[in-house]
Amino acid sequence: MGGHKFHGDMARLDNPRRKEILPVEPVIEVLGGIKDGLAVADLGCGTGYLSVPLAKHLDGHGTVYAVDINPKALEVLKEKAAGIDNILALQSEENKFPIESRTIDVSFMVAVFHELDDPSSFLMEIRRISKPFHQIVVVDWSDVQGEMGPPMSERIPEKDVIKFFKDR
């Protein structure tokens, strides 16, 4: 693990082709019914590819904690989220999030797992910020060559990601 961190052209994160390959609607549907006060973390949010649609989806019913280590990406997110009151853009370290313990109901990791230097420490930090009943949603690049995404050497087979979470 420990692939490169994305520091490229931020426009690539909102590429229309990416939206075809990875539409956000099915990811958001994982939430199911929304209860008031829902706290959602988008860990490794980048420019808000998921955070902004999530915040709009939760409008009036919950808060999105958009967390990333890249301050440039967070600046783009803040521009995109102008006028959206239920999104908090937070700069973090990889394994230390500026979120109080036992705050989050659902954590999303979209195209993040393959970049982690220390997945176990990352998971421990998710546990710290999570309420006792919590969901973690992981969406990442498959280990099949495609037209987008990280190099094959950095992709992690789905079975290995599932095993990681089951073993912990």
Side-chain angles (χ1 to χ4, degrees):
M1 300 202 198
H4 76 283
K5 306 290 189 263
F6 183 86
H7 292 290
D9 176 13
M10 296 295 158
R12 285 180 31 208
L13 297 177
D14 292 313
N15 179 321
R17 182 68 181 127
R18 183 179 188 210
K19 291 179 182 189
E20 292 174 21
I21 293 170
L22 178 61
V24 297
E25 293 78 13
V27 178
I28 292 172
E29 286 175 11
V30 169
L31 291 174
I34 299 171
K35 61 178 183 168
D36 282 340
L38 192 67
V40 178
D42 183 7
L43 304 171
C45 66
T47 60
Y49 182 77
L50 179 63
S51 300
V52 172
L54 265 173
K56 290 176 180 176
H57 183 76
L58 294 175
D59 185 35
H61 299 286
T63 302
V64 174
Y65 294 78
V67 180
D68 205 283
I69 62 174
N70 186 330
K72 291 179 183 174
L74 289 171
E75 287 304 317
V76 174
L77 178 144
K78 288 175 187 176
E79 290 173 17
K80 289 168 53 176
I84 301 174
D85 296 333
N86 64 331
I87 188 168
L88 302 172
L90 304 169
Q91 186 173 353
S92 71
E93 296 174 31
E94 181 166 308
N95 300 317
K96 187 167 174 36
F97 313 138
I99 300 173
E100 288 187 34
S101 297
R102 298 192 177 277
T103 299
I104 302 298
D105 296 293
V106 181
S107 292
F108 287 89
M109 298 170 55
V110 176
V112 170
F113 193 81
H114 74 277
E115 292 186 357
L116 298 176
D117 290 329
D118 183 355
S120 294
S121 293
F122 194 86
L123 179 58
M124 292 303 296
E125 184 64 353
I126 291 173
R127 286 182 175 151
R128 183 191 67 75
I129 66 170
S130 299
K131 292 179 181 175
F133 179 75
H134 179 262
Q135 292 177 288
I136 301 173
V137 180
V138 179
V139 178
D140 216 311
W141 297 99
S142 68
D143 59 339
V144 176
Q145 186 63 49
E147 63 186 83
M148 297 182 81
M152 290 298 296
S153 62
E154 295 179 9
R155 298 178 187 213
I156 302 167
E158 179 180 7
K159 66 178 177 39
D160 293 348
V161 175
I162 292 169
K163 182 177 180 349
F164 170 83
F165 283 96
K166 282 186 176 181
D167 289 350
R168 282 153 183 86

